[in-house]
C-alpha cells in the first residue's frame, strides 16, 4: 500500500512538468521563408483591413477553402481556367466532366472586371511593380507603396503569378489567405500559395482564362 501511495504522489508532482513540456511541442512552420505571419502591403491593398490573428499552428500558405475536384459539365476545352466572381471560385477544367475548384479573392467594389484572355507569362516568387495609378491612389490615402518589391513572403503576389495577356491583372498567390473567398483585391485573382503553386504546375503559356460574373 505504501508503494502505491508513493507512486501516486510522484505522478502528481511530475504532471505539471509533463504539461509544460507539451506546451513547447512541435508546430507547423507558417511559411516557406518565415515562421511569422506578415501581411505587409496586403493590408493596404485590402483597404487597411488586417487579417485576424492566427495561432502558430496556422499555415499562411493554406487556403481556408480547400481545393477539390468537382463535377463540371460546361462546354469548354480542357485546360481552360474559369473565374467566377460571384462565387469567388476558380475552376481549372480537366475534361471528362470534372474540374479542380479553388477558392479565390476577386476585385473589390470598383475593381471587379470580366473578360477573356490568356496566360502570357508565368513567374515564381514574382517581383511586384505596382502601377503608377495604384501608387498615386494609395498615396492619397497616406500609404506609400514601393516602386518595386522583390519576391518573397512579404510580397503581395505570393509564391507564383500567371500574367493575363498584356493587362495589369494576374492570377497570383498571397500571404493573406483570410482574403480568400472575399472581394478584396485591386482586380487581380488571389489564391493561397499552396493553391497557386498547384495550379501553376498544371498550366501552360497560352491557357485560356475566362473571368465572369
Amino acid at each position: 500500500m505504501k508503494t502505491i501511495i508513493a507512486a501516486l504522489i510522484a505522478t502528481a508532482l511530475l504532471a505539471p512538468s509533463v504539461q509544460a513540456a507539451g506546451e513547447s511541442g512541435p508546430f507547423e512552420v507558417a511559411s516557406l521563408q518565415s515562421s511569422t505571419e506578415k501581411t505587409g502591403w496586403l493590408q493596404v491593398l485590402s483597404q487597411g483591413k488586417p487579417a485576424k490573428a492566427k495561432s502558430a499552428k496556422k499555415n499562411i500558405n493554406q487556403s481556408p477553402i480547400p481545393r477539390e475536384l468537382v463535377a463540371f459539365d460546361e462546354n469548354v476545352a480542357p485546360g481552360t481556367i474559369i473565374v467566377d466572381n460571384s462565387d469567388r471560385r476558380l475552376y481549372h477544367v480537366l475534361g471528362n466532366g470534372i474540374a479542380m475548384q479553388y477558392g479565390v479573392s476577386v476585385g473589390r467594389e470598383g475593381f471587379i472586371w470580366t473578360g477573356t484572355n490568356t496566360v502570357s507569362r508565368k513567374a515564381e516568387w514574382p517581383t511586384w511593380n505596382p502601377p503608377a495609378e495604384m501608387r498615386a491612389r494609395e498615396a492619397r490615402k497616406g500609404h506609400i507603396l514601393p516602386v518595386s518589391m522583390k519576391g518573397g513572403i512579404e510580397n503581395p503576389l505570393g509564391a507564383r503569378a500567371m500574367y493575363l495577356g498584356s493587362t495589369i491583372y494576374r492570377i497570383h498567390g498571397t500571404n493573406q489567405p483570410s482574403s480568400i473567398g472575399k472581394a478584396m483585391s485591386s482586380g487581380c485573382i488571389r489564391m493561397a500559395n499552396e493553391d497557386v503553386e498547384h495550379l501553376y504546375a498544371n498550366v501552360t503559356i497560352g491557357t485560356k482564362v475566362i473571368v465572369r460574373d
Side-chain angles (χ1 to χ4, degrees):
M1 178 62 72
K2 291 182 179 180
T3 302
I4 295 173
I5 292 173
L8 291 173
I9 293 172
T11 300
L13 292 173
L14 286 172
S17 299
V18 172
Q19 184 176 4
E23 290 175 355
S24 61
F27 57 88
E28 186 175 8
V29 174
S31 161
L32 297 178
Q33 295 187 6
S34 170
S35 62
T36 303
E37 179 179 9
K38 298 179 180 180
T39 56
W41 295 109
L42 277 172
Q43 291 190 15
V44 172
L45 301 183
S46 298
Q47 299 177 304
K49 299 175 182 177
K52 293 181 180 179
K54 292 179 172 59
S55 69
K57 291 185 178 180
K58 292 291 185 179
N59 186 328
I60 67 169
N61 294 305
Q62 188 174 11
S63 175
I65 303 172
R67 64 179 179 263
E68 61 178 331
L69 285 172
V70 296
F72 196 88
D73 58 2
E74 296 187 29
N75 188 25
V76 295
T80 302
I81 292 174
I82 297 177
V83 177
D84 194 306
N85 286 324
S86 298
D87 291 340
R88 286 124 195 208
R89 296 292 188 273
L90 181 151
Y91 300 91
H92 185 212
V93 181
L94 304 179
N96 297 318
I98 61 172
M100 183 63 75
Q101 175 187 271
Y102 305 84
V104 297
S105 177
V106 300
R108 62 184 184 267
E109 186 177 355
F111 292 87
I112 202 163
W113 60 278
T114 60
T116 301
N117 219 308
T118 58
V119 174
S120 56
R121 184 165 74 89
K122 298 170 62 180
E124 298 185 8
W125 295 105
T127 297
W128 180 41
N129 300 303
E133 180 182 350
M134 178 184 288
R135 298 202 309 274
R137 182 175 66 246
E138 296 303 326
R140 290 193 291 270
K141 302 175 185 177
H143 305 142
I144 305 302
L145 301 185
V147 174
S148 183
M149 185 178 188
K150 292 183 178 180
I153 200 62
E154 296 183 64
N155 190 306
L157 300 186
R160 303 287 186 271
M162 288 158 277
Y163 296 77
L164 304 181
S166 58
T167 72
I168 62 172
Y169 301 121
R170 293 150 293 212
I171 299 170
H172 65 75
T174 181
N175 59 1
Q176 193 182 30
S178 62
S179 67
I180 302 302
K182 303 174 184 177
M184 293 182 67
S185 81
S186 296
C188 287
I189 310 302
R190 292 184 193 168
M191 305 177 72
N193 283 335
E194 288 182 354
D195 283 349
V196 80
E197 289 181 358
H198 186 268
L199 179 65
Y200 184 99
N202 291 286
V203 167
T204 59
I205 301 298
T207 293
K208 185 176 183 179
V209 179
I210 301 170
V211 179
R212 66 189 187 190
D213 287 334

